[in-house]
Amino acid sequence: MSASTSPRETAWARAAHDLAGGWGQRQLWAHLGWQDIRQRYRRSVLGPLWITISMAVTAVALGILYAGLFGNPLETQLPYILVGFIVWGFISGCINEGSEVFVANEGLIKQLPAPLSVHVYRLVWRQTLFFLHNLVVYVVMLAIFPQPLTWRSLAAVPALALLMVNGVWVALLFGIVSTRFRDLVPISQSIVQLMFFMTPIVWIYGDLLNSSNPTVAERARIAEFNPFLHFLEIIRAPLLGQDQHWRHWAVVLAITVVGWALTLVAMRRYRARVAYWV
């Protein structure tokens, strides 16, 4: 270490080199992510289609149920729920699997001289493959219930990229903290399950916000404090051909900046300890 390089600067540099080095090994984590899917559905006839079928059946059942409860047309309620399920699957997967990403890769961390971020990139890539695979149901839905798609619907592409960027910091931060404090894994999973019901996935936020009942409309505004609402809307709105509200993008971008700042601090201080904690 040179005299002009402080330990603090070295720690920041190592954290940055870990992220850059992991990204540089794209062939490794891309191959491992693809092998994860193949291994999970080995000897299965339908393979990953089981996840898509299960999600589609659940979405259709809830779409029929909530369309009747709220008095909405099925062609409105079902696409809303279906796209919500697809996006939520990516978000919840990054959080739930991210909290165990380093514990699950204990053997590789101790034996493979690779950056920690490789395991996180592998996780996010795997969740992205699941997301793209589930879009098959979205295409089928478009054939049955056509949506007013326009060129603005292409905003779903940068929205997905932004979700992936957030998935990386979430898995890194949650993975580091949960590796040190193992009790946080079931806690985070319980919170994710609770947030599913508190996030407008099966209920349409706009309908409640414009309710004739002022009490319902007032309570619906509380959903604006739910960060998952904004992550859902930046990608669900363009996929359904709906107008976008740029406040959702502003909130997501703010969360992205703050989340990465916290993650870089955690990487600087605790990255070297993860191998001992696992």
Side-chain angles (χ1 to χ4, degrees):
M1 183 186 302
S2 63
S4 60
T5 304
S6 68
R8 179 182 295 271
E9 292 174 336
T10 301
W12 281 115
R14 289 175 179 173
H17 289 162
D18 189 290
L19 293 170
W23 180 254
Q25 299 187 26
R26 291 185 293 276
Q27 290 185 339
L28 173 63
W29 52 258
H31 175 75
L32 291 175
W34 178 249
Q35 288 299 317
D36 288 341
I37 297 177
R38 294 186 61 183
Q39 186 66 27
R40 182 178 301 184
Y41 297 99
R42 187 181 179 185
R43 302 182 187 278
S44 174
V45 177
L46 296 179
L49 277 176
W50 281 117
I51 290 181
T52 303
I53 293 173
S54 175
M55 184 269 297
V57 170
T58 304
V60 170
L62 290 177
I64 295 174
L65 172 63
Y66 280 88
L69 289 176
F70 291 109
N72 292 326
L74 185 61
E75 58 268 22
T76 299
Q77 190 78 41
L78 182 55
Y80 187 90
I81 292 179
L82 186 61
V83 176
F85 261 78
I86 294 174
V87 180
W88 181 255
F90 179 89
I91 295 174
S92 61
C94 288
I95 297 175
N96 289 334
E97 294 190 24
S99 61
E100 299 180 290
V101 62
F102 298 131
V103 176
N105 291 284
E106 174 185 357
L108 289 176
I109 291 175
K110 291 182 176 180
Q111 299 177 18
L112 182 66
L116 286 179
S117 59
V118 164
H119 309 290
V120 173
Y121 292 137
R122 170 186 179 183
L123 184 155
V124 176
W125 171 241
R126 182 171 66 247
Q127 291 301 322
T128 303
L129 291 176
F130 281 133
F131 178 90
L132 297 176
H133 193 269
N134 288 334
L135 286 181
V136 173
V137 181
Y138 169 74
V139 174
V140 174
M141 181 272 294
L142 287 179
I144 301 175
F145 302 114
Q147 303 297 309
L149 301 181
T150 64
W151 286 107
R152 291 181 299 177
S153 299
L154 293 177
V157 176
L160 175 59
L162 194 54
L163 256 65
M164 294 169 64
V165 170
N166 278 272
V168 173
W169 78 255
V170 165
L172 272 171
L173 182 60
F174 283 37
I176 291 174
V177 177
S178 297
T179 301
R180 176 62 180 86
F181 304 101
R182 302 295 175 90
D183 291 336
L184 292 180
V185 175
I187 293 175
S188 64
Q189 292 174 347
S190 297
I191 292 176
V192 169
Q193 186 176 9
L194 174 63
M195 294 306 297
F196 172 83
F197 298 101
M198 300 181 65
T199 304
I201 300 172
V202 297
W203 48 276
I204 301 179
Y205 169 64
D207 288 352
L208 298 183
L209 192 63
N210 300 321
S211 173
S212 58
N213 188 330
T215 303
V216 174
E218 185 65 27
R219 291 179 178 178
R221 291 189 179 91
I222 300 177
E224 289 285 342
F225 295 97
N226 181 352
F228 295 111
L229 163 68
H230 307 284
F231 282 94
L232 274 172
E233 288 303 316
I234 64 170
I235 190 168
R236 178 165 56 188
L239 287 178
L240 295 179
Q242 299 174 352
D243 294 333
Q244 297 190 65
H245 299 283
W246 295 107
R247 72 179 185 279
H248 298 310
W249 286 87
V251 171
V252 170
L253 288 172
I255 292 175
T256 303
V257 172
V258 174
W260 268 107
L262 294 174
T263 301
L264 290 175
V265 171
M267 285 280 289
R268 182 185 70 83
R269 297 191 61 179
Y270 305 114
R271 183 190 62 84
R273 304 183 189 180
V274 171
Y276 299 96
W277 289 341
V278 295

